[in-house]
Amino acid sequence: MMEDKIMENGIGFLSCDPEKWNSQLSYTAFEQWIKKEIKVRECCVFIKMMDGELEPICHCGNVRSAHSEGIQIHSESEKWDKTTHTTLTECSALGKINFLDEDTTIQPEYIRVASDYGDRKNIQRMERLLREFWGLKQPGLLISVIGGNKSFHAPHDICLHFQHGLLNAAKSTNGWIITSGQNEGVTKLVGDIIGRSIMTTKIYTIGVACWGKTWNNEMLLRKNNKVLCI
């Protein structure tokens, strides 16, 4: 229930494992382009969806305190709508991530984007971000792995066959693997095999997750308008 509702709001989070930045493009140019071209949606009306462990959760997926001060609070009977109850603002979260106990030379990029990027113009923006600024090579194949996030049970040997088959398909085609970015279900199987092979095989993996379901997402917010490296 909660997952479906949060997926509905389309407030997204994008991460991948890119090559080094294009030496001809500076961080300044990147930041200027991001400020002009990339927007995020911020919830501007709190409508309670359900009770959380400590405080109520809005239909946008965030708890009450995660909203801005002075936010409007509407009746639970009102239907939450992305267009009506959110506003487009400048991108507030982008940078690189250092994973603990991992090779520090591998720093996946992440960025938060609004979900209304399905039209041609915005798709072209995303393509430029991935190809020009993050340096990803043209894929020979796009492999999308979805479903089974809440409950996924399969025999161990089937899981191994799936993991190695996916890895071989991506390696042999220079493919990109696209998942929901969640650490559960079938997506976790993908993350496990990529994690074990990351030191020997270069595979681009893109996780498109909901901002409201991203744990500790406040750590990903920019500080003093600077790109983060966390």
Side-chain angles (χ1 to χ4, degrees):
M1 175 72 171
M2 177 178 176
E3 180 182 350
D4 292 338
K5 288 293 185 181
I6 293 174
M7 288 296 288
E8 233 174 57
N9 73 30
I11 299 177
F13 170 85
L14 178 68
S15 68
C16 74
D17 182 15
E19 294 182 336
K20 294 181 179 179
W21 281 72
N22 186 325
S23 59
Q24 297 178 350
L25 297 170
S26 67
Y27 267 107
T28 301
F30 173 65
E31 289 183 317
Q32 290 175 345
W33 183 81
I34 289 293
K35 185 175 182 179
K36 178 182 177 182
E37 302 289 349
I38 304 298
K39 304 298 180 183
V40 302
R41 282 198 174 274
E42 294 286 359
C43 183
C44 58
V45 177
F46 181 89
I47 299 178
K48 179 181 174 182
M49 176 179 68
M50 60 187 295
D51 289 319
E53 292 184 7
L54 299 177
E55 54 182 316
I57 298 175
C58 177
H59 280 268
C60 73
N62 284 316
V63 296
R64 171 66 183 84
S65 61
H67 293 70
S68 60
E69 293 185 12
I71 190 171
Q72 300 179 56
I73 301 177
H74 288 192
S75 168
E76 295 178 39
S77 61
E78 182 175 342
K79 181 177 174 58
W80 192 91
D81 178 75
K82 178 184 69 176
T83 304
T84 306
H85 298 123
T86 69
T87 57
L88 284 172
T89 64
E90 290 183 9
C91 178
S92 57
L94 73 153
K96 300 182 179 183
I97 297 176
N98 287 322
F99 290 106
L100 295 176
D101 302 322
E102 298 289 347
D103 184 353
T104 55
T105 62
I106 300 173
Q107 295 180 317
E109 305 275 359
Y110 71 88
I111 189 169
R112 181 185 177 189
V113 300
S115 70
D116 16 8
Y117 271 59
D119 61 78
R120 184 176 183 83
K121 186 176 181 180
N122 284 320
I123 288 175
Q124 290 174 340
R125 289 191 179 102
M126 290 295 96
E127 181 181 10
R128 187 182 181 196
L129 172 71
L130 295 171
R131 299 285 307 284
E132 184 176 343
F133 287 103
W134 284 0
L136 275 70
K137 296 179 180 179
Q138 178 76 29
L141 179 69
L142 293 177
I143 306 172
S144 179
V145 182
I146 59 175
N149 283 329
K150 279 194 173 181
S151 58
F152 179 81
H153 303 287
H156 181 65
D157 58 335
I158 297 296
C159 292
L160 288 179
H161 282 305
F162 165 76
Q163 288 179 317
H164 290 295
L166 178 67
L167 195 63
N168 289 334
K171 287 187 338 186
S172 62
T173 61
N174 186 35
W176 294 0
I177 299 175
I178 302 174
T179 77
S180 65
Q182 299 180 24
N183 190 34
E184 56 187 355
V186 69
T187 305
K188 187 175 188 303
L189 287 179
V190 177
D192 289 345
I193 190 64
I194 296 300
R196 293 200 299 269
S197 62
I198 197 169
M199 300 306 299
T200 58
T201 306
K202 187 167 190 175
I203 294 178
Y204 294 113
T205 306
I206 301 174
V208 185
C210 295
W211 180 255
K213 286 203 70 176
T214 303
W215 186 57
N216 282 345
N217 59 22
E218 67 278 0
M219 294 180 62
L220 304 175
L221 296 173
R222 303 175 75 184
K223 309 296 183 184
N224 301 318
N225 207 34
K226 298 294 184 181
V227 174
L228 296 183
C229 186
I230 61 176

